[in-house]
Amino acid sequence: MTSVQKLPARGRLLAAAEDAFFSRGIRATPVDDVLRAADVSAATLYAHFGSKDGLVAEALRVRLAEWQAVWDQCVVRAGSDLDRLLAVFDALAAYRERQPAARWCAFLAAATELPDAGDEIAGVLAADTELLNERLRHFARPLAGDRAADLADDVVLAYNGTLAAYLRGYPASPIETGRRVAAAAAAAY
Amino acid sequence: MTSVQKLPARGRLLAAAEDAFFSRGIRATPVDDVLRAADVSAATLYAHFGSKDGLVAEALRVRLAEWQAVWDQCVVRAGSDLDRLLAVFDALAAYRERQPAARWCAFLAAATELPDAGDEIAGVLAADTELLNERLRHFARPLAGDRAADLADDVVLAYNGTLAAYLRGYPASPIETGRRVAAAAAAAY
DNA sequence: TCTCGACTAGAACGATCGTTACAGTCAAAC
DNA sequence: GTTTGACTGTAACGATCGTTCTAGTCGAGA
């Protein structure tokens, strides 16, 4: 026992859900596993989130907010237009340190595992894509001018490829390779 | 009824399995759905494949062989060293025409949906990765010399990113964007 | 002291799903 | 004509899982 008091049930549930869903898999994780890890009773989970899907959706929302914050910090630290564009990869490195057991991307995993996901879950995935699209187009502007949308597409594709590389286990250094590819794409504008 | 005779049960099962597993999702597709689509009884499925996982593994093996054949043809048609390296993207375009409903990549989807997959399924995924790695390193040789392995990594990453783009629904033209990114990566060597 | 809200433990339900068992059909081979 | 083997249709089993129900505990605030 540390000196830290036990968090309220809702927070413990979200922490356990993130850990289990995004490293062992959403469908592969029974609700009971989350309950046991969070030391929370079933009734409490359903009182807070309504369903397993509700818990998944909220865990994704939390994740998106944290990812956005980490990315923000990396953008601030960037020293050039190119560094700002490529800061997604620094953010990815920082973000992954917090949960090294994560298989790959929580949002793309959710899209694969829950093809019939409700509007709530689909909405978070759409918000993630929208965030990537909007920000990268903005950062691409000073580098590619009118063709900023194309360069943003290139960087998103390299970002997707980096995430999938964790899933495939190849290339061995996903972030390094992804950053190199994105830099090469930017150099072509 | 066409003039074509009914194929044997094994073939019908594999066709129905490919269609269902890789467009609607593996875990989301109950065995009964495949049985009904193939018009085959349960006993026959288990006599041929032993289990649902066995059917998944065999469907993946078939898919890998067909993918390899399509890729081969595209490589033959290529007119330059660069075209040979980028022929994966032509192959992807040709391969996807045969099953437009496919969500994205059968192998990466299997890795996501079945995190505890047995050796049989994991082996096919490893074979797919090995095929990509080996071939692209070979095609990268005349373009990048000693650094062929790095260029192959770049192209695999762009390929992964193209596949994931179908899942994300963005970028809107995955193959076009993927090819452009891979070409830019090659130009840097 | 009483109340209220958050939370718990545990059992149970209902649905889904992978898998097996059983009895029987049918066509081709010998 | 008989045998063989592939295949069928149906029912059922056993396990898992999401979800709900019931009864009850506990601590803080009025």
Side-chain angles (χ1 to χ4, degrees):
Chain A
M1 272 275 239
T2 71
S3 61
V4 182
Q5 294 288 335
K6 220 180 182 187
L7 291 171
R10 193 189 137 92
R12 272 179 291 144
L13 278 171
L14 283 172
E18 173 169 6
D19 182 48
F21 287 155
F22 306 141
S23 59
R24 263 167 287 156
I26 299 171
R27 289 189 99 125
T29 301
V31 171
D32 285 358
D33 281 12
V34 177
L35 293 175
R36 217 170 313 121
D39 196 28
V40 160
S41 72
T44 304
L45 187 155
Y46 288 94
H48 277 297
F49 302 103
S51 67
K52 182 182 181 180
D53 274 11
L55 176 59
V56 171
E58 188 61 24
L60 286 172
R61 269 191 287 265
V62 169
R63 213 171 163 85
L64 179 56
E66 290 178 351
W67 156 248
Q68 187 166 352
V70 170
W71 191 3
D72 273 334
Q73 289 188 357
C74 290
V75 168
V76 169
R77 283 202 206 91
S80 68
D81 287 338
L82 181 60
D83 280 349
R84 257 183 294 281
L85 180 67
L86 300 182
V88 236
F89 294 98
D90 304 332
L92 188 55
Y95 192 69
R96 278 195 63 88
E97 272 181 18
R98 314 170 346 139
Q99 192 188 8
R103 287 174 63 72
W104 60 311
C105 170
F107 306 101
L108 295 178
T112 302
E113 292 196 68
L114 312 171
D116 313 312
D119 297 344
E120 214 182 347
I121 291 178
V124 191
L125 174 52
D128 177 55
T129 296
E130 173 65 18
L131 181 74
L132 277 171
N133 183 1
E134 191 190 1
R135 285 200 172 184
L136 289 178
R137 221 167 37 203
H138 179 247
F139 295 142
R141 202 75 218 272
L143 292 161
D146 294 347
R147 296 171 60 208
D150 282 346
L151 177 53
D153 285 1
D154 293 353
V155 177
V156 171
L157 190 127
Y159 175 74
N160 285 346
T162 304
L163 296 169
Y166 285 105
L167 182 59
R168 194 189 279 281
Y170 178 84
S173 306
I175 293 180
E176 184 188 334
T177 307
R179 188 182 241 275
R180 182 174 66 219
V181 168
Y189 286 81
Chain B
M1 268 281 234
T2 71
S3 62
V4 181
Q5 292 289 335
K6 221 180 181 187
L7 290 171
R10 194 189 136 91
R12 272 179 291 144
L13 278 170
L14 284 172
E18 172 169 6
D19 182 47
F21 287 155
F22 306 141
S23 59
R24 262 168 288 158
I26 298 172
R27 289 188 100 127
T29 301
V31 172
D32 285 359
D33 281 13
V34 177
L35 293 175
R36 216 169 314 122
D39 195 28
V40 159
S41 72
T44 303
L45 188 155
Y46 287 93
H48 277 296
F49 302 102
S51 66
K52 181 183 182 180
D53 274 11
L55 176 59
V56 171
E58 188 61 24
L60 286 172
R61 269 191 288 266
V62 169
R63 212 169 162 86
L64 180 57
E66 290 177 352
W67 156 248
Q68 187 166 353
V70 170
W71 191 2
D72 273 335
Q73 289 188 356
C74 291
V75 167
V76 170
R77 283 202 207 90
S80 69
D81 286 338
L82 181 60
D83 281 349
R84 257 183 293 280
L85 180 68
L86 300 183
V88 238
F89 294 98
D90 303 332
L92 188 55
Y95 192 69
R96 278 195 64 88
E97 271 182 19
R98 313 170 346 137
Q99 193 189 8
R103 287 173 65 71
W104 60 311
C105 169
F107 305 101
L108 295 177
T112 302
E113 293 196 67
L114 312 171
D116 313 313
D119 297 344
E120 213 184 347
I121 291 178
V124 191
L125 175 52
D128 177 54
T129 297
E130 173 65 18
L131 181 73
L132 277 171
N133 183 1
E134 191 190 0
R135 286 200 172 183
L136 289 178
R137 221 167 38 205
H138 179 247
F139 296 141
R141 202 73 217 273
L143 292 160
D146 293 347
R147 296 171 61 207
D150 281 347
L151 178 52
D153 285 2
D154 293 353
V155 177
V156 171
L157 189 126
Y159 175 74
N160 285 345
T162 303
L163 295 169
Y166 285 106
L167 182 59
R168 194 190 279 282
Y170 179 84
S173 306
I175 294 181
E176 183 188 334
T177 307
R179 187 182 243 275
R180 181 174 67 219
V181 168
Y189 286 82

